[in-house]
Amino acid sequence: QVQLVDSGGGLVKPGGSLRLSCVASGFSFSDSYMSWIRQAPGKGLEWVSYISPADSTIYYADSVKGRFIISRDNTKNSLFLQMNSLRAADTAVYFCARARLDTAMTPYFDSWGQGSLVTVAS
Amino acid sequence: SYELTQPPSVSVSPGQTAIITCSGEKLGERYTSWYQQRPGQSPVLVIYQDRKRPSGIPERFSGSNSGNTATLTISGTQTMDESDYYCQAWDSNSGVVFGGGTKLTVL
């Protein structure tokens, strides 16, 4: 079955960097759109970034544009999020998710990882 | 930026019908998805493309979308349905947009 395993979270100081990973199994990762979505403690879901199967299409939320970089390694069924210049407001559980496209070619998310907690504090 | 608005909370008695709304400008012209999130767990897709149910999602979950409002309806609500629910759509300028979430209480 589809499985997404997030890792790489931890405590980091403001201005620091962290790299999240997500290993996928049970489906054709190289053919799949993938995304990162986060949830601050006690808050709602916030989309972070989105990448197409061959890296040709990448989107970022305005809140992370210029600081975060999404990437993937299809040979290792892995998705990554490089987070730089971290702020307290970036504190959240980060979920990787598989994106499917509806008939209007817009995404929805049918499988989610368990989440990885990132805490930005001094 | 595009915004989706949900009521913070909805209450329903067991066996009754729960209706959760999601409002956005011309939302009916976009597809809407819905996610269920129980405390401490990852979200689960319950409706996509306005009204389609993924395999394994009970028939009591249904969706609709018209005008400026999408609606998630849970018929014969069970105590296990008590969760947070989020709507989601796509905007060409804002990207993926989630509603603020609705806490469904079954009591």
Side-chain angles (χ1 to χ4, degrees):
Chain A
Q1 74 281 16
V2 174
Q3 190 170 14
L4 298 169
V5 179
D6 303 316
S7 63
L11 175 62
V12 61
K13 289 181 168 51
S17 298
L18 206 59
R19 189 190 196 212
L20 301 182
S21 300
C22 171
V23 177
S25 60
F27 66 100
S28 178
F29 179 79
S30 60
D31 293 327
S32 297
Y33 293 76
M34 299 295 296
S35 195
W36 289 99
I37 296 159
R38 69 185 181 183
Q39 186 170 36
K43 303 297 185 183
L45 300 173
E46 179 189 14
W47 169 72
V48 172
S49 185
Y50 168 91
I51 186 169
S52 62
D55 298 0
S56 56
T57 301
I58 289 177
Y59 294 102
Y60 295 100
D62 287 344
S63 58
V64 306
K65 202 172 294 183
R67 300 187 299 123
F68 289 11
I69 301 172
I70 191 172
S71 63
R72 63 192 298 162
D73 184 343
N74 289 339
T75 67
K76 296 182 179 179
N77 286 353
S78 294
L79 177 73
F80 305 102
L81 185 68
Q82 177 67 42
M83 302 184 294
N84 302 320
S85 302
L86 282 162
R87 309 164 179 167
D90 297 317
T91 294
V93 173
Y94 286 73
F95 298 98
C96 73
R98 182 175 73 171
R100 308 300 294 271
L101 299 184
D102 56 36
T103 55
M105 300 301 287
T106 59
Y108 61 94
F109 307 101
D110 71 340
S111 298
W112 297 63
Q114 86 283 5
S116 187
L117 176 61
V118 173
T119 303
V120 184
S122 53
Chain B
S1 63
Y2 192 75
E3 295 184 356
L4 295 175
T5 301
Q6 299 180 235
S9 62
V10 167
S11 295
V12 65
S13 299
Q16 299 304 302
T17 297
I19 297 175
I20 299 173
T21 59
C22 174
S23 300
E25 185 178 353
K26 297 183 180 180
L27 182 57
E29 297 179 8
R30 313 164 192 262
Y31 282 131
T32 299
S33 301
W34 290 90
Y35 303 86
Q36 175 192 62
Q37 186 180 32
R38 295 191 172 98
Q41 296 189 18
S42 302
V44 173
L45 177 71
V46 294
I47 293 289
Y48 67 99
Q49 208 161 301
D50 292 342
R51 58 182 66 249
K52 296 185 176 182
R53 276 181 294 105
S55 61
I57 300 301
E59 290 185 9
R60 63 179 182 274
F61 288 86
S62 64
S64 63
N65 188 9
S66 179
N68 294 322
T69 304
T71 300
L72 174 68
T73 301
I74 309 173
S75 304
T77 306
Q78 301 182 8
T79 54
M80 66 186 297
D81 299 329
E82 188 164 284
S83 301
D84 293 328
Y85 290 87
Y86 296 90
C87 61
Q88 174 253 312
W90 169 266
D91 177 73
S92 58
N93 294 317
S94 303
V96 174
V97 180
F98 286 97
T102 298
K103 181 178 180 60
L104 176 66
T105 300
V106 183
L107 44 68

